[in-house]
Amino acid sequence: MGKIFGFFLLWRLLGNPFFAILVIMIIVYLLDRRFVGVFPSLTKPFKRMGQISKLRSRISMNPSDVSSKHELARLLIERKHNAEALKLLESIEDQSWDSAEFWDDLGTVYLRQGNIQKGEACILKALEMNPRVKYGQPYLRLAEVYKNNDRSKAVDYVHRFQEIHSSSCEGYYLLGMMYKALDRKDDAKTAFQESIDIYRSLPKYKKRQERKWAVLSMMKK
């Protein structure tokens, strides 16, 4: 009732229902970005483009700058510019053989290009070097790849992620989504509820980090 009253109040103040809806949407977005984080950042793509431009300039002045090439490749992966990212990563392989982050990035690009065997091998190499590389996210990438053609393998990879994040709302949310994709509805519901229960038991300082996943679990449940 209060929401409806607020809408009509804004309508009266602004004189236009569309402006009122727009203001409400902006308020909801700002509150979400401040307290939850379900909605994507509107500024992040522009910041990323600026970083990419700076890195390109830096590399043009110093073509042997391995760290800048790796960072540029990472940002290109985020933008799904996989061919260019692969070219950069392959150019620094000899200098990056001992970096778990490098092997995970290289494996991610191979997976996206359909080279599953090579991609999985690179990512498993990264995880062998450091099981907690990128907070275990590589396990989830492998689970996504196998969720349609090898479901038991997909669930196994999610469970490996959960071993790293045993008290993580995100871990149980992702497990629930995987079970949902496998049409295991009861298991999915249990996982989503576990995510919500974990959130309720967390201390205040941890709830901000996990709130997004608890909210998504409530929505999916």
Side-chain angles (χ1 to χ4, degrees):
M1 192 70 182
K3 295 176 183 177
I4 297 173
F5 176 76
F7 169 71
F8 282 107
L9 180 61
L10 278 172
W11 184 350
R12 289 289 301 274
L13 289 171
L14 299 173
N16 187 309
F18 298 105
F19 286 159
I21 292 171
L22 180 61
V23 169
I24 290 171
M25 289 174 65
I26 291 172
I27 291 171
V28 169
Y29 175 81
L30 292 174
L31 288 172
D32 171 80
R33 292 303 304 166
R34 175 65 179 85
F35 297 107
V36 183
V38 172
F39 297 145
S41 169
L42 296 178
T43 59
K44 185 176 180 180
F46 298 102
K47 291 179 180 177
R48 184 169 53 207
M49 288 173 64
Q51 288 176 297
I52 287 173
S53 179
K54 288 178 183 177
L55 288 166
R56 288 192 197 280
S57 298
R58 193 180 299 166
I59 293 167
S60 68
M61 291 186 289
N62 182 9
S64 61
D65 188 342
V66 173
S67 61
S68 292
K69 285 184 176 181
H70 191 180
E71 179 65 12
L72 177 57
R74 185 186 64 79
L75 293 172
L76 290 170
I77 290 170
E78 288 182 10
R79 294 195 68 194
K80 295 183 171 57
H81 292 187
N82 300 309
E84 187 179 357
L86 179 59
K87 187 176 179 181
L88 281 166
L89 291 170
E90 288 179 338
S91 74
I92 62 171
E93 183 172 345
D94 290 342
Q95 297 90 352
S96 308
W97 63 271
D98 60 344
S99 167
E101 289 82 2
F102 166 80
W103 289 109
D104 175 58
D105 290 334
L106 185 61
T108 298
V109 174
Y110 283 138
L111 290 180
R112 288 184 180 178
Q113 293 190 328
N115 194 337
I116 305 301
Q117 187 175 3
K118 202 168 183 179
E120 184 178 20
C122 288
I123 290 176
L124 289 176
K125 183 173 183 176
L127 290 164
E128 184 179 352
M129 295 171 72
N130 179 7
R132 292 181 175 270
V133 62
K134 297 184 182 177
Y135 306 101
Q137 290 288 334
Y139 286 120
L140 300 179
R141 277 192 286 281
L142 292 174
E144 183 67 24
V145 168
Y146 285 106
K147 72 177 183 181
N148 294 321
N149 54 16
D150 192 336
R151 295 181 170 188
S152 61
K153 195 171 187 178
V155 172
D156 178 61
Y157 277 133
V158 175
H159 280 307
R160 292 196 204 181
F161 172 80
Q162 278 190 295
E163 288 174 5
I164 299 172
H165 299 278
S166 58
S167 298
S168 165
C169 298
E170 180 183 6
Y172 280 99
Y173 167 77
L174 293 167
L175 180 62
M177 291 300 292
M178 187 59 61
Y179 281 140
K180 197 170 183 179
L182 302 177
D183 201 31
R184 292 168 56 175
K185 296 178 182 178
D186 290 340
D187 289 330
K189 188 174 181 180
T190 299
F192 291 138
Q193 185 60 53
E194 188 67 29
S195 174
I196 296 165
D197 291 343
I198 287 173
Y199 175 78
R200 288 171 177 162
S201 68
L202 291 173
K204 286 184 179 180
Y205 75 92
K206 283 284 289 179
K207 284 187 173 180
R208 174 64 182 88
Q209 296 172 239
E210 299 283 352
R211 190 171 293 133
K212 170 183 177 179
W213 306 108
V215 170
L216 288 172
S217 295
M218 291 176 191
M219 293 168 63
K220 293 297 181 180
K221 186 185 171 189

